[in-house]
């Protein structure tokens, strides 16, 4: 079994980011995140604690994929969800939300290499991409945060106008329809069309976390335990093992 700790993951992320940023104009790279303009006068600094009914709803929505780190098979969990176990899970989830900290013990990821092209060379590492398998309880906590964050963004109209990813009632289909409609309209108007597409490998690894946290604070009004949870919980690397 091969293990990669937080320091190694962080070094890998920084190296990848530096490779990309080295090709960006210095003035753009050094632009200060505190120069951004707030997108809302509202702010959000505390999570709402979940109840047992919220927990049951999340259990019904969440992916039931299992991880070797799970203490019991996920498929058996609904049948074992008695009052005592529910209280334990509620305590762990709400303590994370209340303190703005993500449990360290839940930040372990089992990484499984999955081949990209089944017809490619199985002996070449380049033909594989890593899939991180996280514990079920960590996904429950993340789902709680995702639901509240999505509700806050929707209520304050903070989504990008044409954002289709990670948004209710939107998908690749809505993004494709928007582009297709624009192309037809421009073509009908006898205009020429040029389409530029950008694809970044492991795009999230290239994000500058300090700039991201500053934008969440200054532009989107995230503060207190909410910002602490995102900074200390989700934007810190997990311990990975194969």
């Amino acid at each position: 079994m091969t293990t990669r700790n937080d320091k190694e993951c962080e070094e890998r992320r920084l190296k990848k980011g530096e490779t990309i940023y080295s090709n960006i104009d210095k003035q753009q790279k050094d632009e200060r995140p505190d120069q951004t303009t707030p997108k809302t006068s509202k702010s959000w600094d505390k999570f709402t604690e979940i109840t047992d009914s919220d927990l049951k709803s999340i259990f019904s929505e969440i992916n039931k994929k299992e991880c070797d780190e799970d203490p019991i098979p996920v498929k058996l969990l609904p049948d074992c969800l008695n009052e005592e176990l529910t209280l334990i899970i509620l305590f762990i989830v709400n303590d994370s939300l209340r303190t703005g900290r993500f449990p360290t013990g839940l930040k372990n990821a089992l990484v499984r290499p999955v081949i990209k092209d089944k017809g490619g060379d199985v002996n070449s590492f380049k033909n594989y991409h890593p899939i991180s398998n996280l514990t079920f309880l960590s996904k429950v906590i993340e789902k709680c945060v995702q639901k509240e964050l999505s509700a806050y963004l929707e209520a304050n109209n903070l989504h990008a106008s044409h954002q289709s990813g990670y948004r209710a009632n939107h998908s690749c289909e809505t993004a494709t329809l928007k582009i297709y409609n624009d192309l037809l309209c421009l073509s009908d108007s006898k205009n020429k069309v040029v389409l530029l597409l950008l694809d970044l490998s492991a795009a999230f690894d290239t994000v500058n976390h300090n700039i991201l946290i500053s934008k969440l604070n200054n532009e989107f009004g995230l503060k207190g335990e909410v910002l602490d949870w995102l900074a200390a919980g989700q934007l810190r690397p997990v311990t990975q093992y194969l």
Side-chain angles (χ1 to χ4, degrees), residues 39 50 76:
K39 297 181 182 294
I50 67 167
L76 298 179

Side-chain angles (χ1 to χ4, degrees), residues 162-181:
H162 299 305
Q163 178 179 334
S164 287
Y166 307 103
R167 188 177 182 184
N169 303 316
H170 290 71
S171 65
C172 293
E173 184 177 358
T174 55
T176 304
L177 286 173
K178 174 67 173 69
I179 295 173
Y180 184 64
N181 181 70

Side-chain angles (χ1 to χ4, degrees), residues 176-189:
T176 304
L177 286 173
K178 174 67 173 69
I179 295 173
Y180 184 64
N181 181 70
D182 288 349
L183 292 174
L184 290 179
C185 291
L186 289 168
S187 179
D188 290 342
S189 302

Side-chain angles (χ1 to χ4, degrees), residues 33 36-45 148-161 163 211-224 226-227 230:
T36 56
T37 303
K39 297 181 182 294
T40 179
S41 59
K42 303 289 185 180
S43 64
W44 178 34
D45 60 359
E148 284 202 56
L149 178 59
S150 295
Y152 173 79
L153 295 176
E154 287 288 352
N156 295 284
N157 196 28
L158 292 173
H159 284 295
S161 57
Q163 178 179 334
I211 293 178
L212 176 58
I213 288 297
S214 182
K215 287 175 72 71
L216 290 174
N217 179 224
N218 298 327
E219 290 190 32
F220 292 86
L222 272 58
K223 305 180 184 300
V226 173
L227 193 66
L230 290 169

